[in-house]
Coordinates of all heavy atoms in Angstrom, one line a residue:
D201 N 85.4 80.3 122.4 CA 86.6 81.1 122.3 C 87.5 80.6 121.2 O 88.7 80.5 121.3 CB 87.4 81.2 123.6 CG 88.3 82.3 123.7 OD1 88.1 83.3 123.0 OD2 89.3 82.2 124.4
G202 N 86.8 80.2 120.1 CA 87.6 79.7 118.9 C 88.1 80.8 118.0 O 88.1 81.9 118.4
P203 N 88.5 80.4 116.8 CA 89.1 81.3 115.9 C 88.0 82.3 115.4 O 86.8 82.0 115.4 CB 89.6 80.4 114.7 CG 88.7 79.2 114.8 CD 88.4 79.0 116.3
P204 N 88.5 83.5 114.9 CA 87.5 84.5 114.4 C 86.8 84.0 113.1 O 87.5 83.7 112.1 CB 88.4 85.7 114.1 CG 89.8 85.2 113.9 CD 89.9 84.0 114.8
I205 N 85.5 83.9 113.1 CA 84.7 83.5 112.0 C 83.6 84.6 111.9 O 82.8 84.8 112.8 CB 84.1 82.1 112.1 CG1 85.2 81.1 112.2 CG2 83.1 81.8 111.0 CD1 84.7 79.7 112.5
S206 N 83.5 85.2 110.7 CA 82.6 86.3 110.5 C 81.5 85.9 109.4 O 81.7 84.8 108.8 CB 83.3 87.6 110.0 OG 84.2 88.0 111.0
V207 N 80.5 86.6 109.3 CA 79.3 86.3 108.5 C 78.9 87.5 107.6 O 79.0 88.6 108.1 CB 78.1 85.9 109.3 CG1 77.0 85.3 108.4 CG2 78.5 84.8 110.4
V208 N 78.6 87.2 106.3 CA 78.1 88.2 105.5 C 76.7 87.8 104.9 O 76.5 86.6 104.6 CB 79.1 88.5 104.3 CG1 79.3 87.3 103.5 CG2 78.6 89.7 103.5
N209 N 75.9 88.8 104.7 CA 74.6 88.6 104.1 C 74.5 89.7 102.9 O 74.2 90.8 103.2 CB 73.4 88.9 105.1 CG 72.0 88.8 104.5 OD1 71.9 88.3 103.4 ND2 71.1 89.3 105.2
F210 N 74.9 89.2 101.7 CA 75.0 90.1 100.6 C 73.6 90.6 100.2 O 72.6 89.9 100.3 CB 75.7 89.5 99.4 CG 77.2 89.4 99.6 CD1 77.8 88.2 99.7 CD2 77.9 90.6 99.7 CE1 79.2 88.1 99.9 CE2 79.3 90.5 99.9 CZ 79.9 89.3 100.0
Q211 N 73.5 91.8 99.5 CA 72.2 92.3 99.1 C 72.1 92.1 97.6 O 73.0 92.1 96.8 CB 72.2 93.8 99.4 CG 70.9 94.6 99.0 CD 69.7 94.0 99.7 OE1 69.2 93.0 99.2 NE2 69.2 94.7 100.7
D212 N 70.8 91.9 97.2 CA 70.4 91.8 95.8 C 71.2 90.7 95.0 O 71.6 91.0 93.8 CB 70.4 93.1 95.1 CG 69.7 93.1 93.7 OD1 68.7 92.3 93.6 OD2 70.0 93.9 92.8
E213 N 71.5 89.6 95.5 CA 72.1 88.5 94.8 C 71.2 88.1 93.6 O 71.7 87.7 92.6 CB 72.5 87.3 95.7 CG 73.4 86.3 95.0 CD 72.6 85.2 94.3 OE1 71.4 85.2 94.3 OE2 73.3 84.4 93.6
E214 N 69.9 88.1 93.9 CA 68.9 87.5 92.9 C 68.7 88.4 91.7 O 68.0 88.0 90.8 CB 67.6 87.2 93.6 CG 67.7 86.2 94.7 CD 68.0 84.8 94.2 OE1 68.1 84.6 93.0 OE2 68.0 83.8 95.0
G215 N 69.2 89.6 91.7 CA 69.2 90.4 90.5 C 68.0 91.3 90.3 O 67.6 91.5 89.1
R216 N 67.4 91.9 91.3 CA 66.4 92.9 91.1 C 67.0 94.0 90.2 O 66.3 94.5 89.3 CB 65.9 93.4 92.4 CG 64.8 94.5 92.2 CD 64.3 95.0 93.5 NE 63.4 96.2 93.3 CZ 62.9 96.9 94.3 NH1 63.1 96.6 95.5 NH2 62.1 98.0 94.0
F217 N 68.2 94.4 90.5 CA 68.8 95.5 89.7 C 70.0 95.1 88.8 O 70.3 95.8 87.9 CB 69.3 96.5 90.7 CG 68.2 97.3 91.4 CD1 67.7 96.9 92.6 CD2 67.6 98.4 90.8 CE1 66.7 97.6 93.2 CE2 66.5 99.0 91.4 CZ 66.1 98.7 92.6
G218 N 70.6 93.9 89.0 CA 71.7 93.5 88.2 C 72.1 92.1 88.4 O 71.2 91.3 88.7
V219 N 73.3 91.8 88.3 CA 73.8 90.4 88.5 C 74.6 90.3 89.8 O 75.6 91.0 89.9 CB 74.7 89.9 87.3 CG1 75.2 88.5 87.5 CG2 73.9 90.0 86.0
T220 N 74.1 89.6 90.8 CA 74.8 89.6 92.1 C 75.2 91.0 92.6 O 76.4 91.2 92.9 CB 76.0 88.6 92.1 OG1 76.9 89.0 91.2 CG2 75.5 87.2 91.8
T221 N 74.3 91.9 92.6 CA 74.6 93.3 92.7 C 75.5 93.7 93.9 O 76.5 94.4 93.8 CB 73.3 94.2 92.7 OG1 72.4 93.7 91.7 CG2 73.6 95.6 92.4
G222 N 75.0 93.3 95.1 CA 75.7 93.7 96.3 C 77.2 93.2 96.4 O 78.1 94.0 96.6
S223 N 77.4 92.0 96.1 CA 78.8 91.5 96.1 C 79.6 92.0 95.0 O 80.8 92.2 95.1 CB 78.8 89.9 96.2 OG 78.2 89.4 95.0
A224 N 79.0 92.3 93.8 CA 79.7 92.8 92.7 C 80.2 94.2 93.0 O 81.4 94.6 92.7 CB 78.8 92.9 91.5
I225 N 79.4 95.0 93.8 CA 79.9 96.3 94.2 C 81.0 96.2 95.2 O 82.0 96.9 95.1 CB 78.7 97.2 94.7 CG1 77.7 97.4 93.5 CG2 79.2 98.5 95.3 CD1 76.4 97.9 94.0
W226 N 80.8 95.4 96.2 CA 81.7 95.3 97.3 C 83.1 94.8 96.9 O 84.1 95.2 97.4 CB 81.2 94.4 98.4 CG 81.9 94.4 99.7 CD1 82.1 95.5 100.5 CD2 82.7 93.4 100.3 NE1 82.8 95.2 101.6 CE2 83.2 93.9 101.5 CE3 82.9 92.1 100.0 CZ2 84.0 93.1 102.4 CZ3 83.7 91.3 100.8 CH2 84.3 91.8 102.0
S227 N 83.1 93.9 95.8 CA 84.3 93.3 95.3 C 85.0 94.2 94.3 O 86.2 94.0 94.0 CB 84.0 92.0 94.6 OG 83.2 92.2 93.5
G228 N 84.4 95.3 93.9 CA 84.9 96.2 92.9 C 84.7 95.8 91.5 O 85.1 96.5 90.6
N229 N 83.9 94.7 91.3 CA 83.6 94.3 89.9 C 82.5 95.2 89.3 O 82.4 95.3 88.0 CB 83.0 92.9 89.9 CG 84.1 91.8 90.1 OD1 85.3 92.1 89.8 ND2 83.8 90.7 90.6
L230 N 81.8 96.0 90.1 CA 80.8 96.9 89.6 C 80.9 98.2 90.3 O 80.7 98.3 91.5 CB 79.4 96.3 89.8 CG 78.2 97.2 89.4 CD1 78.2 97.5 87.9 CD2 76.9 96.5 89.8
P231 N 81.3 99.3 89.6 CA 81.4 100.6 90.2 C 80.1 101.0 90.8 O 79.0 100.9 90.2 CB 81.9 101.5 89.1 CG 82.5 100.6 88.1 CD 81.7 99.3 88.2
A232 N 80.1 101.6 92.0 CA 78.9 102.0 92.7 C 78.1 103.1 91.9 O 76.9 103.0 91.9 CB 79.2 102.6 94.1
D233 N 78.8 104.0 91.2 CA 78.1 105.0 90.5 C 77.3 104.4 89.3 O 76.3 104.9 88.9 CB 79.0 106.1 90.1 CG 80.1 105.7 89.2 OD1 80.5 104.5 89.3 OD2 80.7 106.5 88.4

């Protein structure tokens, strides 16, 4: 019953399509379109 701690598993960090693609989109650094 400790403090709230959440977990994320980002997609395509390794760059199949870009540079850290999943987190880049979620952060707004890369527009989804």
Side-chain angles (χ1 to χ4, degrees):
D201 198 25
I205 297 175
S206 300
V207 187
V208 61
N209 177 17
F210 285 114
Q211 182 59 281
D212 195 28
E213 191 273 352
E214 296 292 2
R216 176 181 173 184
F217 289 95
V219 180
T220 60
T221 315
S223 60
I225 296 167
W226 193 65
S227 66
N229 285 337
L230 176 63
D233 60 335

